[in-house]
Amino acid sequence: MRKKRIVIALGHAALGTTLPEQKEATRRTAKAVADFIQNDYQVVLTHSNGPQVGMIHTAMAEFCRIYPEYTATPMSVCSAMSQGYIGYDLQNAIRTELLNRGIYKPVSTILTQVSVDPYDEAFYHPTKVIGRAMTKEEAEAEEKKGNHVTEVSEGYRRIVAAPKPIEVIEGDAIRALLDADQIVIACGGGGIPVLVQGNSLKGASAVIEKDTAAGKLAELLDADMLVILTGAAQVCLDYGKETERPLESLTVAEAVRYMEEGQFEAGTMLPKIEAAVSFIGNSAVRSVLITKLDKTKEGLAGLTGTKIHK
């Protein structure tokens, strides 16, 4: 009998921001992941990378500014760097926690590319703010390179598109490791966005919503459950208002209706709900749990969190 498969999407709270914060956060995350493994789940992890890729992009841009003889670092390369940096801490923390519990299972980070459509509407309307604040002159120089910028309170910052994921390029490798009952960290930060050009892959100047990529990954692996860990214990209607109401469960049909009503904010809860609806589809077996990292046990037991189902 096949073990239950679970894809866990880690949010910002599960990783921290600075190097010391990330080190400590991954230790806490490892304990929650180890609980799943101890309960005989097959686990694949994916994670956010917002602060980390922003830090890398800013550092590389500053380096290029100080040493103009060096080539600027593309966004796709910064994304790849963040996958390695976060995966390194995560896999070591999980390995240590498992060994402390007397469990030996290999943990691997897969550098993961995700293809996107070059004609995706998102490329015409970039919205994701990245990198450091710039002066007007620096912003104009960025625009001359073909990049997009937006004015913010501290000056100007670069913005990139957030296209939908099409295919997880390393999907077969991820599936093979999971079939061997190993723990896999993949599609970090939503994956490295690439454009398919014949037999070649070209990095795209974009980012992919990590929750949307997590849903695509869960679908690819035929997972039983997608767990999305965020800063809130439950999904709420009328969030932030006096009439705020937490939801214990939600059907796909209800989720679609609430999305149409504009109940979920773009860039925060909306991509999580979209990922849930897409992953579950018409399946009567698949489900999604949205909750906080420290509430996963209670969430699986049905005591907290929001469970989404057909």
Side-chain angles (χ1 to χ4, degrees):
M1 184 177 175
R2 196 196 81 167
K3 292 183 179 182
K4 281 195 172 182
R5 288 186 170 180
I6 187 168
V7 172
I8 303 173
L10 303 173
H12 166 61
L15 295 172
T17 301
T18 65
L19 273 70
E21 279 181 10
Q22 179 171 296
K23 203 82 170 178
E24 182 56 36
T26 53
R27 289 194 190 101
R28 294 194 300 271
T29 300
K31 293 182 186 298
V33 173
D35 287 340
F36 284 111
I37 295 161
Q38 205 155 26
N39 287 320
D40 224 20
Y41 282 93
Q42 287 185 326
V43 175
V44 174
L45 290 171
T46 186
H47 57 79
S48 66
N49 72 342
Q52 290 84 355
V53 79
M55 176 183 68
I56 292 166
H57 183 272
T58 299
M60 300 310 292
E62 279 297 289
F63 179 79
C64 188
R65 184 179 66 83
I66 297 168
Y67 299 102
E69 65 270 23
Y70 285 89
T71 305
T73 307
M75 191 64 205
S76 56
V77 175
C78 293
S79 180
M81 289 177 176
S82 76
Q83 284 190 6
Y85 156 49
I86 296 168
Y88 168 68
D89 277 347
L90 262 179
Q91 70 182 38
N92 284 341
I94 294 167
R95 177 183 180 275
T96 298
E97 182 63 29
L98 291 177
L99 288 175
N100 287 342
R101 299 186 188 199
I103 302 169
Y104 177 75
K105 281 183 183 290
V107 188
S108 303
T109 299
I110 299 293
L111 198 66
T112 316
Q113 302 171 97
V114 176
S115 65
V116 297
D117 183 352
Y119 301 106
D120 190 301
E121 190 66 24
F123 282 111
Y124 302 98
H125 305 284
T127 58
K128 290 291 183 179
V129 179
I130 63 163
R132 65 178 179 87
M134 298 179 287
T135 64
K136 186 176 181 180
E137 291 73 23
E138 289 173 325
E140 289 173 350
E142 282 296 316
E143 288 184 321
K144 285 179 182 177
K145 296 177 190 175
N147 296 323
H148 298 274
V149 298
T150 187
E151 190 169 1
V152 294
S153 58
E154 62 269 34
Y156 296 83
R157 292 179 69 188
R158 190 175 161 197
I159 51 173
V160 296
K164 299 291 185 187
I166 296 175
E167 180 188 1
V168 179
I169 303 298
E170 287 74 26
D172 288 343
I174 297 165
R175 191 187 293 109
L177 288 169
L178 192 60
D179 287 344
D181 203 25
Q182 298 187 23
I183 301 141
V184 188
I185 301 162
C187 286
I192 304 162
V194 293
L195 304 172
V196 179
Q197 299 182 341
N199 290 332
S200 300
L201 299 172
K202 181 183 178 182
S205 184
V207 295
I208 300 171
E209 287 282 2
K210 62 96 178 165
D211 296 309
T212 310
K216 177 69 72 174
L217 183 61
E219 186 178 346
L220 168 73
L221 300 172
D222 193 22
D224 299 281
M225 180 181 278
L226 170 62
V227 176
I228 300 176
L229 301 179
T230 184
Q234 291 178 299
V235 176
C236 294
L237 296 181
D238 296 339
Y239 182 72
K241 301 177 182 177
E242 289 184 4
T243 53
E244 180 176 306
R245 177 162 61 93
L247 300 172
E248 293 181 0
S249 67
L250 194 59
T251 66
V252 167
E254 288 170 335
V256 170
R257 187 174 83 248
Y258 291 141
M259 282 194 291
E260 290 172 349
E261 292 174 2
Q263 278 284 353
F264 309 120
E265 188 178 351
T268 55
M269 191 55 70
L270 182 59
K272 296 170 176 55
I273 302 298
E274 288 176 336
V277 168
S278 178
F279 167 63
I280 295 169
N282 293 316
S283 172
V285 178
R286 294 176 177 176
S287 63
V288 175
L289 172 66
I290 301 178
T291 193
K292 293 176 72 173
L293 174 66
D294 59 0
K295 299 291 184 183
T296 49
K297 270 189 178 180
E298 295 95 326
L300 284 174
L303 301 175
T304 190
T306 301
K307 189 170 184 180
I308 305 175
H309 52 88
K310 183 58 183 172

